[in-house]
Amino acid sequence: MHTGDDVNSLERATEQFVAVRPQLFGIAYRVLGSAAEAEDVCQETWVRWQNADRSDIAEPAAFLTTIATRLAINTAQSARVRREAYVGPWLPEPIDTSPDPQVGAERAEAVEMAVLLLLEKLNPVERTAYVLREAFDYPYRQVADILETSEANTRQLVSRARKHLAAERREQVDRAEHRRLLSVFLTAAQTGDLKALEDVLAADVVSYTDGAGMRGASRIPVVGITHVSRYLAAFAPRFWPQSDVRWVEANGRAAVLVLSGGNAVALLSVDVSAEGIDRIMWVMSPAKLAPFAASQEV
């Protein structure tokens, strides 16, 4: 009897975990900016769920969310130390959001590359409070319970995160305009057309290249319309003639996967406001690029 009960119990536990797993991944990914680390959090959550005394757990989804969230915060705290030693700009690991635009969330908040990059400047608890409230629509009381703090403090954490994003990021254009400006930018970048680049870039544009120290990748952000446009124009003859491009969706926005000899060499994404392109993000790190390319069957 006990063996059958154990099997049934494990089957039920598996069903409960699978049902909430997209949400667990969505939370962990937004907190960490890394799909690989988010997967690790989900795996560790599953191990703890298997080993837990589930007979006393009235709300499995809430229990699993709490475990995953706290694991993500712990991982984020150690990741901050590692990223301080990262060679060159650090960018989030891109994910294909075309199958699930919200990535397990109630709203598609805090999933765009630029937002994840800005959230990286917050401490892990502030970032987590914002993610749970803004993307997953958790009540403040529940967020407070997960974070083991007061509801008043939770409101302050979310407020600080909102203010940080509002100060660092202009209001964004709609998806159609975003794709149009990315297309214009791509053509200008490929041809090294300085005038066309200057027409589409914001005055304070920043270009980030995450190459994890690889040769040829800029190790510092390039800042300002003049420097960025000249940098891209000089870059064009060496990079684009041997490359093909494929339009993809990454982190809820149109992006461009750049290929050379059939292999992915970069993912290009941009952040666009009414001022023009504010941020250009080149993910060239093989460790980050390979999983995304695999999702596109490249």
Side-chain angles (χ1 to χ4, degrees), residues 141-160:
R141 178 70 262 164
Q142 190 171 358
V143 178
D145 289 343
I146 291 171
L147 299 179
E148 298 181 293
T149 188
S150 68
E151 185 172 341
N153 188 48
T154 298
R155 290 180 182 275
Q156 291 179 345
L157 292 170
V158 175
S159 177
R160 284 203 295 269

Side-chain angles (χ1 to χ4, degrees), residues 27-28 30-33 68-81 83-84 118-132 143 146-147 157-158 160-161:
I27 293 169
R30 286 168 171 83
V31 172
L32 296 165
T69 302
R70 291 176 182 172
L71 286 170
I73 290 172
N74 291 341
T75 303
Q77 288 167 339
S78 59
R80 285 170 74 89
V81 176
R83 287 169 192 170
E84 287 174 1
L118 293 174
L119 288 178
E120 186 69 14
K121 296 180 182 180
L122 300 176
N123 70 53
V125 176
E126 287 175 328
R127 182 171 182 161
T128 303
Y130 178 84
V131 165
L132 291 173
V143 178
I146 291 171
L147 299 179
L157 292 170
V158 175
R160 284 203 295 269

Side-chain angles (χ1 to χ4, degrees), residues 207-263:
S207 177
Y208 303 90
T209 303
D210 182 339
M214 67 185 295
R215 185 178 179 183
S218 177
R219 297 193 179 190
I220 58 171
V222 183
V223 182
I225 189 170
T226 301
H227 289 129
V228 171
S229 57
R230 289 178 179 174
Y231 168 75
L232 292 169
F235 186 63
R238 301 195 302 272
F239 184 69
W240 294 108
Q242 292 79 37
S243 301
D244 299 311
V245 299
R246 177 186 298 181
W247 284 87
V248 295
E249 180 179 302
N251 295 70
R253 290 284 188 172
V256 175
L257 189 62
V258 184
L259 306 124
S260 180
N263 297 313

Side-chain angles (χ1 to χ4, degrees), residues 29-220:
Y29 174 71
R30 286 168 171 83
V31 172
L32 296 165
S34 166
E37 290 175 348
E39 291 289 357
D40 289 343
V41 165
C42 289
Q43 182 60 34
E44 178 62 22
T45 301
W46 166 240
V47 170
R48 295 193 182 195
W49 179 234
Q50 281 181 296
N51 295 332
D53 180 0
R54 298 183 296 275
S55 61
D56 293 332
I57 299 172
E59 298 182 23
F63 179 86
L64 288 163
T65 298
T66 299
I67 292 176
T69 302
R70 291 176 182 172
L71 286 170
I73 290 172
N74 291 341
T75 303
Q77 288 167 339
S78 59
R80 285 170 74 89
V81 176
R82 294 196 304 274
R83 287 169 192 170
E84 287 174 1
Y86 198 80
V87 179
W90 178 92
L91 290 173
E93 180 185 343
I95 57 172
D96 179 2
T97 48
S98 57
D100 178 5
Q102 280 80 29
V103 193
E106 294 293 322
R107 298 189 293 265
E109 296 292 328
V111 75
E112 293 178 34
M113 292 283 284
V115 176
L116 293 173
L117 179 61
L118 293 174
L119 288 178
E120 186 69 14
K121 296 180 182 180
L122 300 176
N123 70 53
V125 176
E126 287 175 328
R127 182 171 182 161
T128 303
Y130 178 84
V131 165
L132 291 173
R133 178 63 187 166
E134 297 299 303
F136 293 85
D137 202 26
Y138 274 71
Y140 283 107
R141 178 70 262 164
Q142 190 171 358
V143 178
D145 289 343
I146 291 171
L147 299 179
E148 298 181 293
T149 188
S150 68
E151 185 172 341
N153 188 48
T154 298
R155 290 180 182 275
Q156 291 179 345
L157 292 170
V158 175
S159 177
R160 284 203 295 269
R162 286 175 180 156
K163 288 176 181 176
H164 170 71
L165 287 176
E168 296 282 339
R169 193 179 191 225
R170 301 181 179 106
E171 184 176 349
Q172 298 298 288
V173 299
D174 62 29
R175 292 172 65 91
E177 180 66 359
H178 178 277
R179 185 183 176 100
R180 185 189 74 79
L181 286 172
L182 176 54
S183 180
V184 172
F185 169 80
L186 177 63
T187 300
Q190 288 174 314
T191 57
D193 187 333
L194 270 174
K195 177 64 168 61
L197 285 168
E198 289 172 351
D199 286 345
V200 79
L201 299 177
D204 55 355
V205 62
V206 183
S207 177
Y208 303 90
T209 303
D210 182 339
M214 67 185 295
R215 185 178 179 183
S218 177
R219 297 193 179 190
I220 58 171

